[in-house]
Amino acid sequence: MLFNLNDLVRPNIAQLTPYSSARDEYSGEAKVFLDANENSLGSPLPKWYNRYPDPHQVAVKNKLAVVKGITAEHIFLGNGSDECIDLLYRSFCIPSKDNVIICPPTYGMYEVSAHINDIELKKIPLLPSFQLNLVEIEQAIDSNTKLIWICSPNNPTGNSINRIDIETILNNFKGIVIIDEAYINFSKQKSFVQELTEYPNLVVLQTFSKAWGLAGLRLGMAFASTAIIEVLNRVKPPYNINQSTQELALKALEEVGQVNDMIRLLVDMRDALADVFNLMPTVQEVYPSDANFLLVKIKDARKVYEFLLTKGIVLRDRSNVQLCNDCLRITVGSEHDNTILVEAMQDWYQLNS
Ligand SMILES: *Cc1c(COP(=O)(O)O)cnc(C)c1O
């Protein structure tokens, strides 16, 4: 396969002179910083919040590099993965000309972000096994296909996509393959992060929002070749990761052990919850999950959803989604959450049998 990143970058991005921030032009030690029109008197908050944050998030990336076993130059940080998704469109897809491939049912932002950027979507649904339809994906690719989005483990189905199939696409597609690994920490499957040197067309997305328990921080990661990372850095807003997020992420990265304990607990509770659901007469199928949620096919899904709402329990109703008829997506909660949910579902069964 001939992969040439220069053929993929939008010409206006390739020619762009990126914004040069005050912190870009001078980033060393100084006694007096009068280059960024900050308020040198301070702020109502403690510490250094009067100063702009590091536009390159060097400290966070260095620590993250150790945790991930890669070098910092392969890391891009976004205001959530959602910013990474948007930046990939803006960097590589020419509006109303280029197209991308998504494989529904999958994460909704690939589609919304494509519409916002006026990029054509080619939808190649997953097979009933929730695996990729390689034959149709191959047929859909044309000379304007820039990106293929693969979510593994997939949201909302919960399964991992077969590694061999992903490798087939990586080896044959001349555009960029994005593997969204938002749920990888809950999976027994290996991450693709270690394959960056193997595949120049690979982008791996991960996030602090799920296993790390930090959805409120808004911090997403993209891992890719240095060439792709450089493109994303040209396009991103200069200070896209705020000071408090950088500080708190550094702190969290010290606590890998605690996070791994939570992951183990969530996986155990997921499997226990699956066993309980499997015994419920109204449940038709509990799909195997590599994530921190279960996709459950249940009789009268919409009615169950509404009944649980009256009890103050909110699930994600996916019953109208292709291949997910009559399915609810259920996040694994705390022990307490899960108990309340199971009791309410038993109430529903009692009332309807
Ligand atoms: C939750 C989720 C994300 C996370 O997005 P953030 O913007 O980082 O919170 C990304 N991809 C998928 C598939 C998700 O389910």
Side-chain angles (χ1 to χ4, degrees), residues 306-353:
E306 282 165 359
F307 172 79
L308 292 173
L309 268 188
T310 68
K311 303 255 171 183
I313 302 168
V314 199
L315 307 183
R316 192 86 153 125
D317 178 17
R318 301 283 84 182
S319 58
N320 290 324
V321 170
Q322 197 177 12
L323 294 179
C324 297
N325 293 334
D326 281 324
C327 286
L328 301 175
R329 194 193 70 190
I330 305 174
T331 306
V332 178
S334 65
E335 200 84 62
H336 180 68
D337 297 336
N338 300 339
T339 305
I340 289 179
L341 169 69
V342 168
E343 282 172 5
M345 284 177 71
Q346 279 158 351
D347 288 349
W348 163 263
Y349 174 61
Q350 233 106 73
L351 290 168
N352 292 278
S353 61

Side-chain angles (χ1 to χ4, degrees), residues 80-82 107 110 151 155 180 182-183 207 209-210 218:
S81 314
D82 289 348
Y107 186 48
Y110 315 141
C151 187
N155 176 4
D180 186 344
Y183 299 99
T207 179
S209 298
K210 307 287 156 68
R218 308 309 302 133

Side-chain angles (χ1 to χ4, degrees), residues 4 8 49 77 134 163 189 224 255 285 296 306:
N4 188 346
L8 295 174
Y49 290 107
L77 295 177
L134 287 183
R163 197 174 181 88
Q189 306 297 317
E255 307 296 341
E285 186 152 11
V296 179
E306 282 165 359

Side-chain angles (χ1 to χ4, degrees), residues 163-287:
R163 197 174 181 88
I164 304 266
D165 292 353
I166 299 177
E167 287 167 350
T168 300
I169 294 181
L170 280 166
N171 281 318
N172 293 289
F173 179 52
K174 292 188 194 65
I176 290 173
V177 181
I178 300 136
I179 308 176
D180 186 344
E181 296 186 337
Y183 299 99
I184 191 71
N185 307 83
F186 304 105
S187 166
K188 285 190 284 289
Q189 306 297 317
K190 230 175 77 198
S191 166
F192 271 87
V193 161
Q194 300 306 327
E195 317 298 322
L196 294 176
T197 44
E198 188 91 5
Y199 301 109
N201 56 342
L202 168 64
V203 175
V204 177
L205 299 183
Q206 293 184 4
T207 179
F208 280 83
S209 298
K210 307 287 156 68
W212 284 87
L214 295 169
L217 279 197
R218 308 309 302 133
L219 190 58
M221 303 160 256
F223 305 101
S225 71
T226 54
I228 292 177
I229 298 297
E230 273 167 27
V231 176
L232 296 175
N233 277 328
R234 294 166 72 83
V235 181
K236 82 179 183 75
Y239 302 111
N240 62 327
I241 310 297
N242 70 66
Q243 178 65 25
S244 49
T245 293
Q246 292 192 42
E247 285 173 19
L248 293 168
L250 268 178
K251 231 175 168 168
L253 283 163
E254 298 285 348
E255 307 296 341
V256 178
Q258 188 192 333
V259 173
N260 283 334
D261 289 345
M262 287 199 291
I263 292 166
R264 268 191 290 274
L265 192 56
L266 287 166
V267 166
D268 285 347
M269 290 194 295
R270 174 193 73 202
D271 296 344
L273 210 49
D275 290 344
V276 173
F277 289 149
N278 265 319
L279 291 173
M280 290 182 177
T282 47
V283 168
Q284 291 155 340
E285 186 152 11
V286 182
Y287 293 93

